Amino acid sequence: MKTKINVNGTLKTFEVKPDEYLLDTLRNSGCVSVRRGCDTTSCGVCTILLDGKPIASCSYLSCRADGHNVTTVEGIPKEVALIADFFGHEGADQCGYCNPSMALTIYAMKKELKNPSDDEIRAYLVGNLCRCSGYVAQHRAIRAYLEVE
Amino acid sequence: MKIDSYLKAKSVEEAYKVLKENKDAAVIAGGAWLKLMPKTIGTAIDLKGLGLDEITETDNEIVIGCMATLRQVEKYEALQEQYDGIISKSASSIMGVTVRNIATIGGTVAGKYGFSDLLPTLMVVDAELEFYKRGRVKLSEFMNEKGFADDILTHIYIKKVKSRGWFETMKNTAIDFPIINSAVIKSPEGYCIVIGARPYKAAYAIKSMEFINACKNPGTDEIAQAADIAADEMKFGKNQRGSAEYRKELCRTFVKRGLTEVIS
């Protein structure tokens, strides 16, 4: 079935199966910054922004995204570069597999929450797992990023 | 999970008709856990775009559309004011934001999921459901019925009551399903206690409620007794998250904490 999705500002038409998930549609179209992890909504590495809201693309049917806007890290390069700088400065990444999903969730959080507390930041990132860092350095980097006007 | 065809319903009537005429059709709600279902759906009916994702208010009730996401429920201000915000709290304890932006309250309710953190709080506040053809029915009645709805759930109604409430869930990790959860309220009608994730579907602790409601000024001893009654009357099972015995002890502790909190 034909599905039109605006991906990072460009309207694209995809031929998708009824049980195809957005993760597969995006990866098959070359958008491999969207990662495959658990494939069952638990790890968060497949996070994308659907109309600005972070969702697990591994569990969102592609046909349901028809007429909607999808943002991946390629769609917000300046913000991602800024977040990456803070992550680098704080030593907040190791393998980097979760970085695109973290960047998108952090970006969405900054738009959604005003002056979030440490607990609110942790709660917002519950669904984004990092198996390397232990989150302490990431938390410092996120704090620094949130302070940027 | 396999889906043969997808229908974006143009109206609730169309969705209802397709559901009734096709045995293998199913309403997919948010679809967050579709993948985990070991079956084939002939026609996946999508209610998105029918305006059922709104949360509105009347003087006496909060009306939640079945397609409202758990994130919407969690953030809706008026819900944070009812019974110490237990509905918002239970919604916020489910997985992460990336899942709560997908999963819907309608899917949670219609699925009668034993692992649901939201259902115990909806039951304890005596929520009502509205089905397209059947009309309004109490959630407690729906939960007691065998099987699932063969109708379209459209709205969930919460009475506006500012009273004491308590909710707690026990999990191995924040993104896991609960080992057990519990919701307790003190309303003008009395105390109400619901235990969920037993791992069976949520249920009222009837005998415990009868006991504590019969006490004039319940204190520490009565609360402890009510907790013992709840632990004894509820049926618990085992799964990979915990044994029946473990759940029974957690239930005792949760009821004690819940009653202590709402009585204080």
Side-chain angles (χ1 to χ4, degrees):
Chain A
M1 51 196 299
K2 279 198 167 37
T3 300
K4 289 181 180 176
I5 307 171
N6 189 319
V7 181
N8 296 323
T10 304
L11 187 63
K12 294 185 176 182
T13 304
F14 299 95
E15 188 64 39
V16 302
K17 294 175 189 160
D19 49 8
E20 184 173 322
Y21 286 91
L22 209 40
L23 169 64
D24 298 300
T25 304
L26 291 169
R27 284 189 65 82
N28 291 341
S29 71
C31 192
V32 290
S33 69
V34 188
R35 306 267 161 85
R36 187 186 305 281
C38 69
D39 226 9
T40 55
T41 71
S42 298
C43 74
V45 294
C46 66
T47 299
I48 55 140
L49 304 184
L50 184 76
D51 298 332
K53 292 176 182 170
I55 65 156
S57 65
C58 75
S59 298
Y60 198 86
L61 290 173
S62 301
C63 47
R64 305 186 91 185
D66 186 48
H68 292 271
N69 298 309
V70 163
T71 307
T72 66
V73 286
E74 289 85 354
I76 48 167
K78 282 183 184 171
E79 289 293 324
V80 169
L82 189 57
I83 293 167
D85 279 349
F86 284 117
F87 267 53
H89 183 72
E90 294 292 347
D93 54 2
Q94 287 185 32
C95 82
Y97 199 73
C98 69
N99 280 11
S101 60
M102 283 279 180
L104 288 166
T105 308
I106 295 163
Y107 171 75
M109 175 174 65
K110 189 174 183 178
K111 294 218 166 233
E112 188 177 335
L113 306 181
K114 282 182 183 171
N115 303 316
S117 66
D118 286 345
D119 283 345
E120 284 173 322
I121 293 171
R122 289 189 195 101
Y124 204 95
L125 289 164
V126 152
N128 287 84
L129 301 186
C130 170
R131 299 289 81 175
C132 302
S133 70
Y135 305 105
V136 176
Q138 288 180 345
H139 193 87
R140 286 198 305 267
I142 293 164
R143 267 264 157 256
Y145 168 67
L146 291 176
E147 281 164 20
V148 176
E149 290 294 324
Chain B
M1 162 59 61
K2 192 176 177 312
I3 298 172
D4 291 334
S5 67
Y6 167 84
L7 172 75
K8 188 172 181 183
K10 291 180 188 67
S11 66
V12 181
E13 173 63 30
E14 184 191 21
Y16 179 78
K17 208 173 163 191
V18 172
L19 184 67
K20 293 300 270 188
E21 289 173 359
N22 299 275
K23 276 189 178 173
D24 58 356
V27 177
I28 55 173
W33 288 287
L34 266 183
K35 229 178 217 181
L36 306 180
M37 291 167 68
K39 69 170 190 178
T40 296
I41 294 178
T43 304
I45 304 167
D46 194 351
L47 303 177
K48 205 176 167 188
L50 299 180
L52 294 172
D53 58 347
E54 291 175 3
I55 306 178
T56 56
E57 289 176 57
T58 65
D59 287 344
N60 309 315
E61 291 176 316
I62 297 165
V63 186
I64 309 172
C66 65
M67 292 296 283
T69 63
L70 301 184
R71 183 70 174 155
Q72 282 176 266
V73 172
E74 168 193 353
K75 291 179 72 179
Y76 194 74
E77 216 165 291
L79 283 170
Q80 292 168 1
E81 293 166 2
Q82 312 301 314
Y83 294 103
D84 292 324
I86 56 172
I87 292 172
S88 302
K89 188 182 175 188
S90 67
S92 72
S93 70
I94 297 166
M95 307 290 283
V97 169
T98 56
V99 175
R100 298 202 296 277
N101 275 330
I102 300 176
T104 62
I105 187 169
T108 301
V109 170
K112 297 183 181 177
Y113 296 117
F115 58 74
S116 172
D117 275 325
L118 189 57
L119 276 171
T121 56
L122 293 175
M123 285 173 69
V124 86
V125 303
D126 199 22
E128 288 188 28
L129 313 178
E130 182 176 9
F131 289 94
Y132 179 58
K133 289 290 178 189
R134 187 180 177 186
R136 278 177 76 152
V137 59
K138 279 187 180 288
L139 172 61
S140 53
E141 192 183 326
F142 173 68
M143 290 297 286
N144 279 333
E145 293 168 359
K146 282 186 180 172
F148 301 95
D150 59 349
D151 197 343
I152 308 282
L153 171 66
T154 58
H155 296 90
I156 292 99
Y157 294 81
I158 314 283
K159 281 192 281 288
K160 283 184 176 174
V161 180
K162 284 183 184 170
S163 193
R164 298 304 312 274
W166 179 91
F167 168 79
E168 197 56 77
T169 182
M170 174 85 173
K171 296 176 182 184
N172 287 324
T173 69
I175 55 168
D176 199 4
F177 291 138
I179 301 166
I180 198 165
N181 55 32
S182 176
V184 179
I185 61 157
K186 181 187 180 185
S187 75
E189 286 81 38
Y191 299 98
C192 187
I193 303 164
V194 175
I195 311 294
R198 300 174 291 127
Y200 315 117
K201 63 185 180 185
Y204 294 96
I206 304 284
K207 291 179 185 170
S208 179
M209 285 159 55
E210 282 171 1
F211 170 79
I212 201 74
N213 280 314
C215 297
K216 276 191 176 172
N217 290 304
T220 312
D221 291 345
E222 288 81 8
I223 289 171
Q225 214 174 324
D228 288 341
I229 295 169
D232 288 339
E233 72 173 300
M234 303 305 289
K235 183 185 170 194
F236 300 99
K238 66 173 182 178
N239 61 9
Q240 69 271 40
R241 292 180 181 82
S243 65
E245 293 78 12
Y246 183 44
R247 287 189 160 94
K248 183 173 180 165
E249 290 312 310
L250 289 173
C251 169
R252 194 188 315 276
T253 303
F254 273 21
V255 172
K256 201 170 171 180
R257 283 185 191 170
L259 284 173
T260 304
E261 185 68 25
V262 299
I263 288 170
S264 67

